[in-house]
Amino acid sequence: MKKKLSRSGSGWALFMPKTLLELIDVNPETDFLEVKVENNIVKITKAEDVTKDK
C-alpha cells in the first residue's frame, strides 16, 4: 500500500484507512500507537499498557 503524506498545521500527517486500523486492532478513539525508526524503516504498532499520565 502506498500512501501520500498530507499537510497538517506545521507538520505532515499520514491518514490510515479504517481497514488498516482494523487489521492491527486499533481503535483511534482510545488506543495509542508506538512509532519506531529502524534502519530507515518506520514501524507503527499498537502500543501496549499506555496510560494518559505518562
Side-chain angles (χ1 to χ4, degrees), residues 33-50:
L33 298 174
E34 184 170 341
V35 180
K36 293 181 183 179
V37 178
E38 298 174 2
N39 299 319
N40 291 332
I41 297 172
V42 178
K43 294 183 178 186
I44 302 172
T45 57
K46 182 176 178 178
E48 299 295 331
D49 300 324
V50 175

Side-chain angles (χ1 to χ4, degrees), residues 5-6 8 21 25 29 31 33 36-37 52-53:
L5 296 174
S6 300
S8 177
L21 294 175
D25 191 31
E29 301 273 337
D31 294 330
L33 298 174
K36 293 181 183 179
V37 178
K52 291 184 180 182
D53 295 341

Side-chain angles (χ1 to χ4, degrees), residues 8-27:
S8 177
S10 62
W12 293 89
L14 175 64
F15 290 96
M16 299 175 72
K18 181 179 177 181
T19 305
L20 183 58
L21 294 175
E22 288 172 350
L23 285 171
I24 61 174
D25 191 31
V26 168
N27 178 341

